[in-house]
Amino acid sequence: MEAKQYIGEGWKHAILIIGAIVVMLPFYMMVSMSLKSQQEIQSISGGLIGAQETQTFPVCVKTGYSEETCTMKPYQYNYWFAFEKAPIPRYLMNGVIVTLSIFIIQVLVALPCAYALAKLRFYGREFVFSMVLFCLLIPVHGIALPLYVMLAQAGLVDTYSALILPWTISVFGIFLMRQFFMTVPDELIDAARMDGMGEYAIVWKVMLPTAIPALLAFAIFSVVAHWNDYFWPRMVITGNRDLFTPPLGIREFRGGIDSDEFGPMMASIVTVTVPLIVAFIIAQKRFIEGITLTGMK
Amino acid sequence: MGTISLKNISKSFGSTQVLNNLNVDINDGEFLTLVGPSGCGKSTLLRIIAGLEQQTSGDVLIDNKNVNRVRASERDLAMVFQSYALYPHLTVRRNLETPLRLRDYNAFERLPLIGNFSPSKKEKTESINQLVNKTSETLKISELLDRKPGQLSGGQRQRVALGRAMVREPVAFLMDEPLSNLDAALRVHMRSELSELHNSLKTTFVYVTHDQAEALTMSSRMAVMIDGNLLQLDTPQEVYDNPSSLSVAQFVGSPKINIFKGTSDSSGTVSFLNVNLKRKSSESNTDLHIGIRPEHLEITNESNDNTFSGIVAYRENLGSDIFFHVNIEDGSNKIIVRGLPQFTHQISNGSSVNIKRVSDKALLFNQAGMRVQFTNA
Amino acid sequence: MHNSKAHIWFIAPAIILMIIILIFPLFLAGGISFTDYNLGNKTFEWVGLENYDKMFNRKTYVKMIWATATYVIVVVPISVVLGLCAAMLLNSLRFGADIYKTIFFLPVMATLLAMAIAWEFTLHPTLGIVNSFLANGCGGVREFILGFHWLPWVDSQESWYAVACANNMDFPYWLKQKNTAIWTVCFIGIWQAFGFNMVLYLAGLTSIPRELYQAAEMDGAKSTWEQFKLVTWPMLGPTTLFVVTITTIRTFQVFDTIEILTKGGPSKTTYVMMYAIFEKAIQQNLTSIGAAITVVFIGFILVLTFFQRYVIEKRVHY
């Protein structure tokens, strides 16, 4: 019986390892290419990290740098040149600005509304809630075109506002927070009222702190979605490099596959992709919990 | 037939020993209760009988056949779980049918659609229906057959769970605290129903509970377990009257038995407080625990060498009886005395009372907690 | 109760934003789809159903529907089943489950666009490790396994693998070839989505009470399959419904991989709806036809979600 179980366990691991290899394949390719020299990439040699021989890089010299500056190991070159070619920190900063603004505005709008829907009694509450439920069905990507038309008419294309505005209302956030507030006992709010707090103070001083776990889950959901979003920025940012978010940067790096150098290109893609992945690996339990919580409603 | 024998059963999880070399023989048709405080290993023992858990050592015999290597599904036992474990997505009827379908239909007949082409299926379906109907009538759940478990009350779910166990007429029923999720009134009611059910089915019941009252009221024999050890296996009356050890005496009986510290002298005469017992202990010259149940004490006006005095700390009125929690004068002990309302209604908290022994009944235990017998009857 | 008017200030911003950002655009898209309006035009005319007529009759848009449907019909079931299998496998492991969970979840977190480019190189005919792995395996075990030579009806001279080996390593140009592009894009979609489904299923599995499995065992469900049928699958009903709906809505919205890898080609085999909206309305400035596609798209999504709600009420509730 014991031996049989170990064989079963072995089989499961065998299947899962094959799966894991397939899943990791592009990550391996990405990291490996960002470390190797162009020749190694083209001849598919050198394993994961390549030979790392110090050499002079011709593309770099052509760009106008001295030969001395252009002589280094491939991995140094790839990452150094990536940062020389494109304003990567700027893209990352745009990503931070956009995702944080979106998240903060979403909370500012959703939290009071969720509180009112969960804990206050007023005329029309049911109607507002059914409106929320209906809006839950509308995918914002789906209505991107009319939104784009509206923004274009308002002259907002190619601005930060265009990146942020359509996402300021998160119906999902309202729904999630309302469900959470429903579980908060009424006594807590009544106690706060007895202590002399106004409704505003209750929202920000009582409800907000109790909602931290749900808020964290929502933060992960929101930040991941908007950091990785490509469709919407692609629609509304047409040429202004100063407004590029990380995915738009990635698109720019890619250029033409057959002409450019692949090493620096992959190095920039790795740089842009890494922050979120590192955050995920460090706090993966929170991330997975957050995604499950927001996923299961 | 339905005898179950447990021989030298031990179970450990890692380094913690939960069952310690247990031997139990369960007779055919018996209602055996495994009772003990939570964590004593009683549920584990039941699961070992069921085959849901594997013992570390020892043998389980059902009808004298060793079933150590037989899977739970093939031991022909039925189990009622504490949470009932009904299939929430199936109707009551389907819940009752499930054990029959799984056993009676072969793999081909269980296939959807094409399974219906099997010639013998129709007949089997008919007999399954009959059994389900019969069982649901016995349990008075016929009108619930089309509902789902989520639409039932706790008591109704309890019946359905019983029905699912009954429907296939197993060798024995195993019940794991089946009444603990019911409210107090219903629990008392279900005790009598279960007893009646047992009387009419005449099948072996193995019943796990932490509630000594359930054990006392329902079982033909009860096995008292504490810390993985089987302390006593006997009829409820015998366990109550003649506990084998101090722990059993303290566990069985509500309110708890009173324990006094006393000594026996060289002749075996036992004394505690200012009282001497008439009968002599078989162990002389030693410290003893003397156990006297609350109903064997009484509040009295007398004051003599067979009484002792104390102050009433709390008066627990149950209507039919009043239990007095009394602090004994020398401060050594707090005891409980039963009084009849008609004689004791005027005694209030804080009053000083004398207490005497009503009968000669007392239980002796040595320092190790083992029972000490009297020499003369 | 209290007579505070605070609730007005609490709900007003949300209501105004909902109307402007979510509800009004629905009507705007509907309105534009009946006109010949293009962004920048001063005037427009009502053209009735002309845009819709084009959509269902012109070859391009018929291909669009086909590509979208193929993508959804392939990606949803496979990623859901893979997610379920992975979750059940991980759930039954004695050790190491967390590592696999992290690995399988990585594609969900990673920027899809970047990963699409990584896949492009991985599957590149001359630079990619996939084709070099295949080429190096000619005549060996890899050919035997991946060429399906182990199936009795496959001729080991005629299998796709053997043919490619014989023709100077002519392995597929995965993303550039008409007969493979859509399947390759589907593969990337599955690769990205199944980890998410797995995590939801893992949560669903842990919420199944263990006593139900024990009850099933006592009732005579011996094999893992019987227990799966009796307990696991029905108990996962709500999870499955949710997973299927959310995966469907997400796969309907596929855009990143298409835009960066195939641009809808070759010959419109991967021309999915979101890409069509983008290409027509933004790049070619054909706003009205884009609006018509938007309306159809939203229609699909609404029908799907209502269907889900209906099924929840009817079937999976207990």
Side-chain angles (χ1 to χ4, degrees):
Chain A
M1 183 163 165
E2 287 294 303
K4 215 171 138 193
Q5 279 177 350
Y6 281 113
I7 294 168
E9 181 91 353
W11 271 110
K12 289 175 197 166
H13 280 284
I15 294 168
L16 287 166
I17 286 170
I18 293 175
I21 289 173
V22 175
V23 169
M24 293 302 285
L25 214 55
F27 292 97
Y28 169 87
M29 194 74 179
M30 195 165 90
V31 173
S32 166
M33 281 176 73
S34 80
L35 298 173
K36 293 200 281 194
S37 68
Q38 182 75 3
Q39 296 89 313
E40 284 167 329
I41 294 170
Q42 278 172 335
S43 59
I44 322 181
S45 61
L48 173 62
I49 54 171
Q52 296 300 345
E53 277 168 26
T54 307
Q55 52 193 289
T56 309
F57 292 88
V59 178
C60 163
V61 178
K62 248 188 259 167
T63 320
Y65 294 95
S66 74
E67 235 173 79
E68 201 184 328
T69 333
C70 291
T71 308
M72 56 180 94
K73 292 188 171 175
Y75 80 94
Q76 291 171 322
Y77 167 75
N78 287 347
Y79 280 89
W80 169 76
F81 201 59
F83 277 82
E84 288 296 313
K85 274 204 319 191
I88 294 176
R90 171 90 210 200
Y91 299 163
L92 291 174
M93 206 184 63
N94 282 338
V96 172
I97 291 174
V98 170
T99 46
L100 278 189
S101 319
I102 289 176
F103 173 65
I104 291 169
I105 300 176
Q106 280 177 339
V107 171
L108 286 177
V109 173
L111 208 66
C113 179
Y115 168 70
L117 286 175
K119 292 294 177 194
L120 299 181
R121 283 190 206 160
F122 55 88
Y123 183 73
R125 184 175 79 164
E126 289 310 306
F127 176 75
V128 176
F129 187 56
S130 40
M131 194 162 136
V132 169
L133 287 182
F134 174 73
C135 287
L136 216 45
L137 303 179
I138 306 170
V140 182
H141 278 170
I143 52 168
L145 176 63
L147 281 173
Y148 173 76
V149 172
M150 287 159 69
L151 287 169
Q153 293 295 355
L156 287 174
V157 171
D158 267 327
T159 60
Y160 276 120
S161 313
L163 286 171
I164 296 167
L165 271 181
W167 306 104
T168 49
I169 175 83
S170 171
V171 200
F172 176 64
I174 297 177
F175 182 76
L176 188 77
M177 287 298 149
R178 177 206 177 251
Q179 298 304 84
F180 185 82
F181 286 154
M182 294 291 275
T183 65
V184 175
D186 283 337
E187 283 89 348
L188 187 66
I189 296 154
D190 288 335
R193 288 195 187 119
M194 297 293 285
D195 291 346
M197 282 195 200
E199 296 296 319
Y200 297 95
I202 289 176
V203 171
W204 301 115
K205 289 190 183 153
V206 179
M207 298 311 267
L208 180 67
T210 59
I212 295 288
L215 216 54
L216 206 65
F218 178 64
I220 288 168
F221 169 84
S222 167
V223 167
V224 169
H226 296 115
W227 180 274
N228 287 338
D229 187 22
Y230 170 63
F231 178 68
W232 183 251
R234 180 86 177 91
M235 294 270 283
V236 293
I237 303 299
T238 48
N240 189 349
R241 262 182 136 199
D242 286 345
L243 294 174
F244 275 15
T245 59
L248 286 179
I250 291 173
R251 188 195 132 76
E252 189 198 32
F253 309 141
R254 179 173 165 270
I257 274 205
D258 298 315
S259 59
D260 229 329
E261 271 186 314
F262 303 137
M265 178 198 96
M266 273 303 175
S268 31
I269 293 181
V270 169
T271 317
V272 174
T273 323
V274 140
L276 206 58
I277 293 187
V278 169
F280 164 63
I281 290 174
I282 290 173
Q284 51 165 314
K285 244 189 142 164
R286 280 235 169 278
F287 268 72
I288 292 179
E289 269 168 27
I291 295 289
T292 334
L293 182 65
T294 48
M296 296 309 280
K297 293 190 188 171
Chain B
M1 281 298 285
T3 65
I4 301 171
S5 304
L6 304 173
K7 304 235 183 275
N8 306 320
I9 297 286
S10 292
K11 171 79 183 175
S12 45
F13 292 113
S15 59
T16 35
Q17 182 91 7
V18 285
L19 291 176
N20 209 347
N21 201 29
L22 298 187
N23 287 288
V24 182
D25 281 305
I26 303 167
N27 305 327
D28 183 31
E30 167 168 57
F31 194 132
L32 183 103
T33 311
L34 299 172
V35 63
S38 51
C40 71
K42 55 192 189 300
S43 286
T44 312
L45 186 60
L46 192 75
R47 280 156 190 279
I48 287 173
I49 298 175
L52 296 171
E53 205 110 47
Q54 187 70 34
Q55 66 271 29
T56 314
S57 65
D59 299 307
V60 180
L61 282 77
I62 296 176
D63 288 339
N64 299 319
K65 271 197 291 277
N66 187 314
V67 292
N68 288 356
R69 302 254 151 208
V70 179
R71 292 189 53 171
S73 48
E74 281 154 6
R75 291 192 184 185
D76 199 18
L77 302 169
M79 187 149 167
V80 178
F81 292 85
Q82 183 169 11
S83 65
Y84 315 139
L86 299 173
Y87 307 112
H89 55 283
L90 300 179
T91 59
V92 169
R93 178 182 289 282
R94 263 320 262 276
N95 264 291
L96 296 180
E97 280 174 1
T98 301
L100 296 172
R101 299 168 73 96
L102 283 166
R103 268 152 219 270
D104 296 357
Y105 292 160
N106 56 38
F108 174 75
E109 287 164 344
R110 278 203 298 271
L111 290 175
L113 295 177
I114 32 171
N116 292 327
F117 292 114
S118 164
S120 56
K121 186 172 182 180
K122 207 172 167 193
E123 213 172 293
K124 290 179 181 174
T125 311
E126 204 118 292
S127 80
I128 286 177
N129 277 338
Q130 272 173 7
L131 277 169
V132 168
N133 289 339
K134 198 181 102 197
T135 309
S136 52
E137 271 161 37
T138 317
L139 290 170
K140 305 187 191 75
I141 50 173
S142 302
E143 66 278 21
L144 306 176
L145 284 177
D146 295 321
R147 297 209 207 152
K148 287 191 176 174
Q151 301 163 301
L152 304 180
S153 70
Q156 290 170 328
R157 278 184 224 181
Q158 164 72 56
R159 282 163 194 277
V160 177
L162 273 175
R164 185 176 62 176
M166 273 166 61
V167 72
R168 60 167 218 259
E169 293 163 2
V171 171
F173 290 99
L174 311 178
M175 305 195 180
D176 189 2
E177 309 229 8
L179 304 184
S180 62
N181 282 344
L182 302 178
D183 62 54
L186 196 55
R187 206 180 306 158
V188 174
H189 172 71
M190 283 305 290
R191 278 187 210 163
S192 60
E193 288 222 351
L194 275 178
S195 291
E196 281 171 34
L197 191 68
H198 175 246
N199 285 338
S200 64
L201 291 175
K202 302 203 167 38
T203 313
T204 312
F205 276 43
V206 184
Y207 186 102
V208 162
T209 180
H210 65 271
D211 183 349
Q212 49 91 29
E214 282 178 19
L216 287 173
T217 47
M218 292 191 288
S219 34
S220 6
R221 287 194 302 158
M222 61 194 273
V224 184
M225 293 176 63
I226 290 172
D227 291 335
N229 294 305
L230 176 64
L231 298 187
Q232 191 167 8
L233 171 59
D234 225 320
T235 61
Q237 200 57 50
E238 202 49 33
V239 171
Y240 187 80
D241 291 341
N242 248 332
S244 66
S245 67
L246 186 57
S247 331
V248 175
Q250 285 181 311
F251 181 75
V252 179
S254 171
K256 251 177 150 176
I257 193 168
N258 299 305
I259 303 294
F260 301 90
K261 283 200 174 78
T263 52
S264 64
D265 65 12
S266 55
S267 67
T269 305
V270 181
S271 58
F272 69 96
L273 300 169
N274 56 343
V275 180
N276 289 329
L277 298 188
K278 287 178 198 133
R279 293 183 292 174
K280 294 195 186 324
S281 158
S282 59
E283 286 183 24
S284 51
N285 275 332
T286 179
D287 288 334
L288 290 171
H289 297 284
I290 295 114
I292 303 176
R293 297 216 177 260
E295 65 267 28
H296 299 141
L297 294 173
E298 186 179 85
I299 289 178
T300 176
N301 298 327
E302 302 163 31
S303 174
N304 54 35
D305 62 354
N306 199 25
T307 66
F308 50 92
S309 56
I311 291 169
V312 175
Y314 170 59
R315 191 169 170 273
E316 188 180 9
N317 191 345
L318 297 180
S320 58
D321 296 305
I322 300 179
F323 289 102
F324 295 94
H325 297 236
V326 179
N327 286 323
I328 297 197
E329 224 141 61
D330 67 352
S332 61
N333 231 339
K334 186 171 193 173
I335 61 162
I336 302 174
V337 181
R338 185 174 76 174
L340 296 172
Q342 57 267 43
F343 302 127
T344 53
H345 62 268
Q346 78 283 10
I347 299 171
S348 59
N349 288 351
S351 30
S352 180
V353 291
N354 286 334
I355 295 160
K356 78 164 186 195
R357 295 171 57 225
V358 194
S359 69
D360 213 18
K361 283 191 178 158
L363 302 165
L364 302 184
F365 303 96
N366 64 19
Q367 287 311 96
M370 296 316 293
R371 182 74 184 278
V372 175
Q373 297 298 333
F374 290 105
T375 49
N376 45 347
Chain C
M1 285 306 296
H2 49 93
N3 296 318
S4 155
K5 290 275 172 242
H7 67 267
I8 295 177
W9 297 104
F10 286 173
I11 56 170
I15 292 184
I16 293 169
L17 285 174
M18 265 194 276
I19 292 172
I20 298 179
I21 292 174
L22 297 172
I23 295 176
F24 175 68
L26 287 183
F27 292 98
L28 187 63
I32 296 177
S33 70
F34 296 111
T35 68
D36 65 352
Y37 175 78
N38 291 328
L39 200 62
N41 289 9
K42 292 261 178 323
T43 59
F44 62 85
E45 267 173 48
W46 296 97
V47 295
L49 290 172
E50 197 178 296
N51 288 316
Y52 293 95
D53 191 49
K54 273 187 206 159
M55 237 183 99
F56 291 105
N57 291 313
R58 282 213 192 150
K59 239 186 170 170
T60 313
Y61 299 113
V62 173
K63 281 186 172 171
M64 171 188 83
I65 304 275
W66 264 116
T68 314
T70 314
Y71 187 82
V72 172
I73 289 168
V74 170
V75 172
V76 174
I78 298 184
S79 69
V80 169
V81 169
L82 266 184
L84 176 61
C85 292
M88 295 199 9
L89 265 181
L90 291 194
N91 214 32
S92 70
L93 281 189
R94 284 150 183 255
F95 61 91
D98 282 342
I99 302 167
Y100 295 116
K101 190 157 93 175
T102 310
I103 292 176
F104 293 160
F105 201 68
L106 267 180
V108 183
M109 305 306 300
T111 310
L112 180 56
L113 192 75
M115 297 328 293
I117 296 172
W119 270 117
E120 183 177 26
F121 278 94
T122 313
L123 296 168
H124 195 279
T126 55
L127 304 172
I129 43 177
V130 169
N131 280 15
S132 84
F133 174 84
L134 291 175
N136 293 336
C138 277
V141 191
R142 294 173 200 173
E143 178 173 344
F144 180 76
I145 296 172
L146 296 171
F148 300 104
H149 296 182
W150 39 278
L151 291 173
W153 59 86
V154 173
D155 182 351
S156 63
Q157 302 300 310
E158 302 287 314
S159 79
W160 70 275
Y161 204 124
V163 170
C165 285
N167 291 327
N168 196 20
M169 304 302 162
D170 181 27
F171 288 104
Y173 285 24
W174 304 103
L175 287 159
K176 303 289 171 217
Q177 231 167 277
K178 218 170 130 182
N179 56 348
T180 53
I182 181 76
W183 310 116
T184 312
V185 173
C186 285
F187 168 77
I188 298 176
I190 294 164
W191 171 85
Q192 204 252 341
F194 92 97
F196 181 76
N197 297 342
M198 173 194 74
V199 166
L200 293 180
Y201 269 126
L202 276 174
L205 281 174
T206 49
S207 68
I208 301 177
R210 290 197 56 180
E211 282 200 336
L212 271 184
Y213 287 104
Q214 295 173 346
E217 170 90 35
M218 296 300 291
D219 283 347
K222 288 170 210 154
S223 59
T224 317
W225 171 242
E226 290 286 355
Q227 298 197 359
F228 176 80
K229 263 198 330 193
L230 186 61
V231 179
T232 315
W233 179 247
M235 293 302 285
L236 287 176
T239 313
T240 302
L241 190 68
F242 177 74
V243 165
V244 169
T245 324
I246 196 156
T247 316
T248 313
I249 292 174
R250 284 171 171 223
T251 47
F252 253 115
Q253 298 184 37
V254 59
F255 174 79
D256 303 14
T257 43
I258 305 289
E259 207 259 355
I260 204 87
L261 297 180
T262 66
K263 302 226 177 295
S267 62
K268 304 275 183 216
T269 45
T270 61
Y271 195 62
V272 295
M273 288 180 100
M274 285 302 274
Y275 183 72
I277 295 175
F278 170 75
E279 193 202 56
K280 289 294 157 196
I282 308 295
Q283 295 195 315
Q284 301 176 4
N285 203 24
L286 299 169
T287 313
S288 57
I289 187 93
I293 304 175
T294 298
V295 169
V296 173
F297 180 83
I298 296 285
F300 272 137
I301 302 256
L302 288 185
V303 167
L304 262 170
T305 358
F306 275 120
F307 178 71
Q308 179 212 11
R309 294 241 167 120
Y310 176 78
V311 176
I312 284 186
E313 296 295 322
K314 284 281 166 201
R315 297 293 306 277
V316 226
H317 230 57
Y318 35 74

